[in-house]
Amino acid sequence: AQTVTQSQPEMSVQEAETVTLSCTYDTSENNYYLFWYKQPPSRQMILVIRQEAYKQQNATENRFSVNFQKAAKSFSLKISDSQLGDTAMYFCAFMKSYSASKIIFGSGTRLSIRP
Amino acid sequence: DAGVTQSPTHLIKTRGQHVTLRCSPISGHKSVSWYQQVLGQGPQFIFQYYEKEERGRGNFPDRFSARQFPNYSSELNVNALLLGDSALYLCASSFNLIGQRENTEAFFGQGTRLTVV
């Protein structure tokens, strides 16, 4: 069975600072995806960034980047130049590929950006 | 473009009652998944439907059931409600089955907040 662990329940940084959210996962699968989702107070789960396990290059989307360490089963999210609108719950998630699957979420990190 | 729409947005039910939650996927998407998110936790997988057939089920009791209609919309039904069923219920739509390599992105709705009293 796959598990996703987020060990930081809450984080708070000043606007414009850089923040890193941690995530570890456990799986025996070789083909999978990892995700970071953002859930603002509006409740809608929004995909922030996606990493395919077979790709060695870390994914980047504007101010968001990941540090994917496959051997260590670690998948952290770095947010650069943080903005007030980044305040939200952030969930790390895992999904097997090449078969009907499901998304397995971690317990989340509540990120607050202070003005 | 219309995203995933869920109704109702909020609902209060009494223990023992039955509830039906509804989800309309993004136009062209054939798969719908349901997730339960208890306060303070990450979402937990309940069901996935594709082309009107159940293609995956999470570890939930038989009180939970779902179906998908020919227009790909879906209903989640919960019988004999318990206080522990209070949660945000999220619907996600995707073009294909979640897990296939192409079109793997799942788009989530804003959820239905169910409170059981």
Side-chain angles (χ1 to χ4, degrees):
Chain A
Q2 293 82 25
T3 59
V4 178
T5 302
Q6 294 179 250
S7 58
Q8 305 155 310
E10 292 189 32
M11 295 190 72
S12 179
V13 298
Q14 206 81 24
E15 192 175 7
E17 289 184 343
T18 294
V19 59
T20 299
L21 309 183
S22 301
C23 173
T24 59
Y25 62 96
D26 189 26
T27 184
S28 58
E29 300 288 335
N30 203 37
N31 299 305
Y32 54 88
Y33 293 89
L34 294 165
F35 308 94
W36 279 98
Y37 281 91
K38 169 185 178 181
Q39 188 177 40
S42 67
R43 309 183 320 203
Q44 186 172 15
M45 200 72 75
I46 301 165
L47 180 64
V48 174
I49 199 165
R50 170 175 55 200
Q51 176 79 41
E52 292 158 302
Y54 71 90
K55 290 186 177 178
Q56 292 186 336
Q57 187 173 7
N58 289 324
T60 299
E61 289 286 343
N62 300 315
R63 298 183 294 108
F64 299 88
S65 61
V66 298
N67 183 3
F68 174 46
Q69 302 289 328
K70 191 173 183 178
K73 295 180 180 171
S74 169
F75 183 62
S76 61
L77 174 70
K78 185 171 83 170
I79 305 174
S80 303
D81 185 26
S82 57
Q83 301 174 359
L84 296 178
D86 295 333
T87 293
M89 284 291 292
Y90 285 81
F91 292 95
C92 179
F94 169 98
M95 183 182 74
K96 288 193 302 182
S97 57
Y98 300 112
S99 64
S101 187
K102 60 185 178 183
I103 302 172
I104 299 170
F105 291 87
S107 56
T109 296
R110 183 176 302 280
L111 176 64
S112 299
I113 309 298
R114 306 186 303 271
Chain B
D1 287 342
V4 179
T5 56
Q6 293 187 242
S7 62
T9 54
H10 296 84
L11 199 55
I12 300 175
K13 288 286 189 177
T14 303
R15 277 179 299 174
Q17 284 188 318
H18 162 91
V19 68
T20 298
L21 310 181
R22 296 178 174 83
C23 172
S24 293
I26 292 171
S27 178
H29 283 193
K30 300 178 182 179
S31 180
V32 169
S33 298
W34 288 95
Y35 288 78
Q36 180 196 62
Q37 186 178 13
V38 173
L39 194 63
Q41 298 181 19
Q44 298 287 319
F45 172 74
I46 311 175
F47 288 109
Q48 178 168 199
Y49 275 77
Y50 178 73
E51 290 282 14
K52 304 182 290 290
E53 290 187 3
E54 181 182 307
R55 299 298 295 269
R57 183 184 183 117
N59 189 23
F60 280 81
D62 292 342
R63 299 184 296 107
F64 288 76
S65 63
R67 54 180 176 169
Q68 188 177 31
F69 298 99
N71 66 353
Y72 302 112
S73 67
S74 178
E75 284 183 354
L76 175 70
N77 295 284
V78 186
N79 292 324
L81 284 167
L82 303 174
L83 295 179
D85 295 331
S86 295
L88 179 68
Y89 288 85
L90 294 167
C91 172
S93 85
S94 56
F95 183 76
N96 280 319
L97 280 167
I98 291 176
Q100 290 186 345
R101 184 171 178 172
E102 63 276 8
N103 297 307
T104 54
E105 184 169 354
F107 295 84
F108 286 83
Q110 290 187 298
T112 294
R113 171 77 65 193
L114 172 65
T115 301
V116 181
V117 297

